[in-house]
Amino acid sequence: MFRRYILFFVLLISVIVSGYSFRDLDWLKHESEHFVYIYHNEVAGSVSQIEEIAENTFLGLSELFGNPFRDKISILIGGYEDRSNGLANPVMESIYIITIGLDYPYRNDGFWLEEVITHELSHLFQMTATTQVGNFLRNYFSRLYLPNALQPMWFTEGFAQLGSELIGDLYEYDYRRLPFLWDQLDREDPFLEETVVSGHSGIGGEAYYNYGYAFLTFLNETYGFESIQELVRIKSGILGFAGIDFSFERVYGKSYQELKAEFIDFESEKWKGVETPSIHRLSSDIGEFVSHYKSKTYANRLYYIGFDREQRYYTLYREDTEILRTSMEIIDFAVFENEIALLLFEKEVSETRLYFFREGRLERTKYSHLVGIDFAGKDRLAILRNSLGTMSVEILSLRNERVTTIFAAIDPEMQITSVRASQDGALVAFRVNTRGNKYIAFYSSGFDAPIMYKIDKDFSLGSWTSGGFLISVENGFGSSVYLVTSEGEMTNLATFSRYVRDPARTREGIVAVGQVKGNKLLYSVESKTTEFKLKETTVEMRVPESLEGEKYEGFTSWRFVSPIPYKGLSLLFSDLTFHNHLIAGGSFDFGTMLPSLHLELCSIDYTPVDFTLSFEFSDLNVEASLEAYRQYVINPKLAFGWKAELNYPLQVSGSINVVLQDSSVLYGGQASLKTNIAVRDTQTATSNLLDVGIRVDFDWKKNGFALDSAIFSRVTFGEDPSLVPVELWDFRDDSNIVVGLSISSDYTISRRGFNLINLVHLSEEGIGAKIDTLIGRSFSWRLAIYKFETVYLYAAYPMKIKAGIMLESMRLLPYIDFALLY
């Protein structure tokens, strides 16, 4: 009876869990001359367009840099995540793209599909470029051989931005990017390495995108494109492992630091005398690492979002009053009377969800995959929805949950990036981008369809004010704010010397969000100067023809990856999606003079359940095991999972677990709490054992101080607890009752921002201490004192390395540990 209840509970959880993952969709495959496209059926209409862009990009990049590929490049295409995204995997020679494009504040807003494909393919061409000997090593020994990837992040991302410009004139260092450049040139020490390598800046990682693009563009325009080609060629050989300084010396006869100084002098002379905009009083005292952004007005009061980049929390303000503070990212918000609606990003499932803030508490709703909201009168929301890659503008009735679709962008070349409504809900406006052409659309219940007006320059849609909506329009290197009506009448209200977005009208004048050493609220006194009228236009949508591909079979499309040091020496193979892995290898014991062989097949987020199937032949004995498991995210704070395991020699076990986790602002820092409760039953040919375990992890970080702690306890019911030994913190115990405690504390002394021969970048450094204990049949303990360094090396991914001494059961031993940070 109990087993029936467990099965019913598992099935029930499977049904009520919302959200999508890779495994939840049907994946298809299509091939062209140079690419394999893997996509879910809902974005099939984008594939032919993506194929055209990808093949043209391949030809362009091949002409510029040669063709380093033996196999076809795989492109994974998805539309189920709620933020635009692209990722290049040079090891697998694949790229991953999301078909929805968002309106980034630090990059020009062109044709999303073209921009993301050219950007990610530029990554692949640059990072996989090798010599003939290198090609042999990559194809037949290890795809991990990537000398071009040994470079700072500014070079990696800057090259991809430049590559998009060179082959398709898709990018430019436009007015959206310039504020970062101007802010840096205003410093005594512009473009610190800690800023452009680790992203330690008011705009985060966008700093290395923008600096790398500007610097490589300077080299291209000053020394010629041939120098960029030569730079890639030299880095493609064994000398690429010597770091970028060696390559720069060979190509330009100057060090990186000398070239960087030239770049700074050139840009300083070009942009001297740039006007500094007026900072609003609500932003005048904030520093670079606290950002104010996304401003709106309601009832003549200013609302805006704040983000503390160092403490990692978001705040909603009403003028100078804090309304809400949360560790979840606020994507958008709307206010009407006493109602506050918010879109929060649930990173566990990469989707947004509608929340309401009522009586001091956040209330989670069932509405997900929304990327924009605004109140359209009482009990009605204008929403921008992502329906598996298709953007649509809808009206959601909060009273009866009725949804009315206003407009759906069925054309994959079209993106919708924001939605606003008048306070009475009579008029809804939204921003449309078709292949980089921008339109403002208006809809009212009296219209048969939305009215479209093309605006020849880049613009951002802002708040409703008396008679119309505010928009900020590109004006040279700055922005002008206009009032626009549904009849297309435009009235100029204010001008800003920098790019601004999300304009709103307040008592002080026009307020908008712009960058002055971090995102701030800027203002300009109203000055009505010009009026003109937009011409109504039509936007033709191409109804896509869904490409009928064949079903993708992940267990028949293997690619060799690399030898790896796993159970001796193993060979790693992966499918094209990198969700399935096959590992085969062996070792030799010179003591017994016997070989050991193993084979392992594992799949994560591909089949209905995750699994690992393994066989091992060791010491003339055969061992085999099958593990099947699945974790269900119910909401950001609750997850449920199960695991079943079958081993040979015979051992069967099954377990269920519940994970409770939360993060919040605590005493001015960021705190997180995670509790994992697991119940497991293990059966062998001779015994049965039930064990219950609980682990509580608590972390807290503030101003360079970090506290990490974990409490663990396990109790067994049965005769032989050695069936399920506890292996924790390098200790092992097989008692009936086991209790463990681990506490570590780190303190950051400084951020070095130091490059060692432009090969290794040292970022944060500090000191720390750690104590681990485990109590069971015996008392195991250790105390460690260490120094830590955050090091950027291969492909600029950071590692935290700890080294010191430890006292373990009264023995003095060296202590070393490292972790890869993502």
Side-chain angles (χ1 to χ4, degrees), residues 166-312:
L166 291 174
I167 65 169
D169 197 24
L170 301 176
Y171 280 112
E172 58 179 333
Y173 209 91
D174 68 345
Y175 83 131
R176 290 190 177 206
R177 302 176 186 266
L178 279 172
F180 170 72
L181 184 70
W182 294 340
D183 286 347
Q184 290 294 314
L185 295 175
D186 193 41
R187 300 174 184 269
E188 293 183 3
D189 48 1
F191 304 108
L192 288 172
E193 293 301 288
E194 184 69 344
T195 296
V196 300
V197 174
S198 70
H200 182 66
S201 72
I203 62 173
E206 288 294 328
Y208 45 72
Y209 281 83
N210 282 351
Y211 166 74
Y213 181 26
F215 178 64
L216 291 178
T217 298
F218 164 77
L219 295 181
N220 178 47
E221 295 177 350
T222 305
Y223 294 95
F225 174 66
E226 293 77 10
S227 71
I228 302 294
Q229 290 176 307
E230 182 67 8
L231 194 61
V232 174
R233 189 190 68 80
I234 291 177
K235 290 181 82 281
S236 300
I238 193 69
L239 296 178
F241 291 103
I244 62 168
D245 220 17
F246 182 86
S247 301
F248 279 120
E249 287 279 4
R250 289 288 298 271
V251 175
Y252 300 102
K254 300 174 183 178
S255 69
Y256 162 61
Q257 293 299 334
E258 290 174 320
L259 292 166
K260 182 178 178 180
E262 283 185 14
F263 162 72
I264 292 172
D265 289 342
F266 174 82
E267 297 293 350
S268 297
E269 180 64 25
K270 181 179 180 180
W271 301 111
K272 63 182 179 181
V274 171
E275 181 182 350
T276 301
S278 300
I279 299 175
H280 191 271
R281 60 181 176 83
L282 296 175
S283 285
S284 59
D285 295 330
I286 69 170
E288 178 183 0
F289 292 93
V290 177
S291 295
H292 288 170
Y293 69 100
K294 187 80 75 174
S295 55
K296 292 185 178 182
T297 53
Y298 178 76
N300 295 320
R301 305 194 73 175
L302 179 65
Y303 294 77
Y304 56 95
I305 303 170
F307 173 51
D308 189 313
R309 187 172 294 279
E310 292 186 313
Q311 303 304 325
R312 310 298 297 178

Side-chain angles (χ1 to χ4, degrees), residues 339-354:
E339 287 283 323
I340 298 178
L342 302 107
L343 288 185
L344 302 183
F345 184 68
E346 298 180 350
K347 62 181 181 180
E348 295 81 6
V349 287
S350 192
E351 71 180 35
T352 57
R353 186 161 299 265
L354 177 64

Side-chain angles (χ1 to χ4, degrees), residues 458-574:
D458 183 47
F459 74 92
S460 171
L461 182 58
S463 294
W464 168 264
T465 187
S466 179
F469 294 93
L470 297 181
I471 61 171
S472 57
V473 182
E474 179 182 2
N475 181 8
F477 300 124
S479 299
S480 292
V481 174
Y482 292 84
L483 177 70
V484 58
T485 68
S486 59
E487 290 77 26
E489 296 175 349
M490 296 269 289
T491 302
N492 183 216
L493 300 180
T495 300
F496 292 81
S497 59
R498 294 196 177 190
Y499 160 67
V500 296
R501 57 192 293 130
D502 298 307
R505 175 180 263 159
T506 67
R507 293 181 293 272
E508 294 93 339
I510 299 297
V511 174
V513 178
Q515 184 184 326
V516 181
K517 296 178 180 174
N519 276 318
K520 291 180 171 60
L521 300 174
L522 310 180
Y523 79 96
S524 177
V525 177
E526 294 188 35
S527 56
K528 186 175 179 179
T529 55
T530 58
E531 296 182 1
F532 60 92
K533 187 176 177 63
L534 298 170
K535 292 183 178 180
E536 184 178 342
T537 186
T538 57
V539 180
E540 294 185 3
M541 286 197 290
R542 177 179 66 88
V543 180
E545 295 183 7
S546 294
L547 194 64
E548 294 185 5
E550 60 182 274
K551 183 179 180 181
Y552 175 71
E553 300 289 351
F555 299 110
T556 60
S557 304
W558 297 108
R559 282 186 179 178
F560 168 69
V561 179
S562 177
I564 57 174
Y566 177 72
K567 294 183 179 180
L569 181 64
S570 301
L571 299 180
L572 171 64
F573 300 84
S574 174

